[in-house]
Amino acid sequence: MKKHTQWIFAALTLALAAAPFTAILIKEPGAVYANQNNHTSPMTESTVPEEEALPAFGTTLLKVGSSGQDVYELQGRLKHLGFYAGAIDSQFGAKTKNAVTWFQWKFGMKADGIVGAKTKLKLYNATKAWKPTEPSTSTAKKTGGNGNTGASNAANKNTAELSSGNTMGLSENDLKIMANAVYGESRGEPFEGQVAVAAVILNRVKSPNFPNTPSGVIFQPGAFTAVADGQIYLEPNEQARKAVQQALNGWDPSGGCIYYFNPKTATSKWIWSRPQVKTIGEHIFCM
């Protein structure tokens, strides 16, 4: 009897000792899920990609005042196409806005200088050959990989004469936008009057009281009617380009003026207070 009791005691001891192991082998569904959450299996980790491919640019709207990597890429791509000639400094300023506006207009988009999803996509598709490390001054003129090479070559052809007479170190975009401004502001004026308008733009560039680039002068808020009513984006004719060329060559029919206005349409009382130098066509040129 004593030996039988000892066997029963030993059996109970073994059963109690084996209980924890039995609980591990017989798990409830909830316990399995908890274990998976606490200890992710190697197979689960292998199904997650190590690095997802990032799209061109980010999702942030880019405009004047923006900065960072997206603006760096924006400037680089615009420079790749020949729309931007400034420094790639990751700062969205007036020059960058002018380049964006020019690009948007050339590609049939709303030319507001704000870079949203549509502009980013259009720019990306036009500059698939662009690389962040490539030289940024002559790539737009090279062939191969650039879907907009033909358009760039055409633009270069239109400004070839302007560039040849450029002694102020202006960019091609500045010269192109000057021709647009002359055409938009004075296409009905005599040739002398068109040259005078171009000369006023250059006189402002030289003045410390105005931006130091034609693009900056032209797009200065409230400066030119053609910018306000959208006529700045009309394609200039050959006469407008020749007027810019003459102004670049030193002809200034305005006599050094930095303002002009049409007395029939002027709404600003202040402009009448400026010293008037001469009248050419419908425009009065003043200091």
Side-chain angles (χ1 to χ4, degrees), residues 166-189:
N166 179 12
T167 58
M168 294 178 63
L170 304 180
S171 71
E172 289 185 1
N173 281 347
D174 282 331
L175 302 179
K176 285 187 285 187
I177 203 64
M178 278 188 68
N180 279 48
V182 169
Y183 185 74
E185 289 275 317
S186 60
R187 60 182 176 275
E189 295 295 303

Side-chain angles (χ1 to χ4, degrees), residues 7-21:
W7 278 110
I8 292 174
F9 181 76
L12 289 174
T13 302
L14 288 173
L16 291 173
F21 297 98

Side-chain angles (χ1 to χ4, degrees), residues 132-144:
T133 56
E134 70 184 73
S136 56
T137 55
S138 59
T139 50
K141 299 178 182 178
K142 296 179 182 178
T143 58

Side-chain angles (χ1 to χ4, degrees), residues 69-123:
Q69 183 62 32
D70 277 6
V71 178
Y72 171 88
E73 182 172 347
L74 172 68
Q75 292 172 332
R77 290 183 182 277
L78 288 170
K79 200 160 192 175
H80 180 75
L81 291 177
F83 289 97
Y84 178 70
I88 300 180
D89 56 6
S90 304
Q91 302 297 319
F92 199 127
K95 286 186 177 181
T96 303
K97 180 182 178 181
N98 294 344
V100 169
T101 305
W102 186 263
F103 169 81
Q104 290 171 326
W105 174 66
K106 277 291 187 180
F107 281 78
M109 308 178 72
K110 181 181 178 181
D112 57 6
I114 299 174
V115 184
K118 291 183 179 180
T119 299
K120 290 178 181 180
L121 180 60
K122 183 74 72 172
L123 182 57

Side-chain angles (χ1 to χ4, degrees), residues 40-95:
T40 305
S41 66
M43 184 175 294
T44 302
E45 290 181 355
S46 66
T47 62
V48 178
E50 293 183 0
E51 183 177 354
E52 295 182 358
L54 296 175
F57 299 104
T59 58
T60 305
L61 197 71
L62 302 179
K63 57 185 179 179
V64 172
S66 299
S67 61
Q69 183 62 32
D70 277 6
V71 178
Y72 171 88
E73 182 172 347
L74 172 68
Q75 292 172 332
R77 290 183 182 277
L78 288 170
K79 200 160 192 175
H80 180 75
L81 291 177
F83 289 97
Y84 178 70
I88 300 180
D89 56 6
S90 304
Q91 302 297 319
F92 199 127
K95 286 186 177 181

Side-chain angles (χ1 to χ4, degrees), residues 261-282:
F261 66 99
N262 187 330
K264 296 180 181 180
T265 59
T267 57
S268 170
K269 295 181 179 180
W270 173 86
I271 194 65
W272 286 97
S273 68
R274 308 305 303 173
Q276 298 180 12
V277 176
K278 63 168 63 175
T279 299
I280 307 175
E282 297 293 327

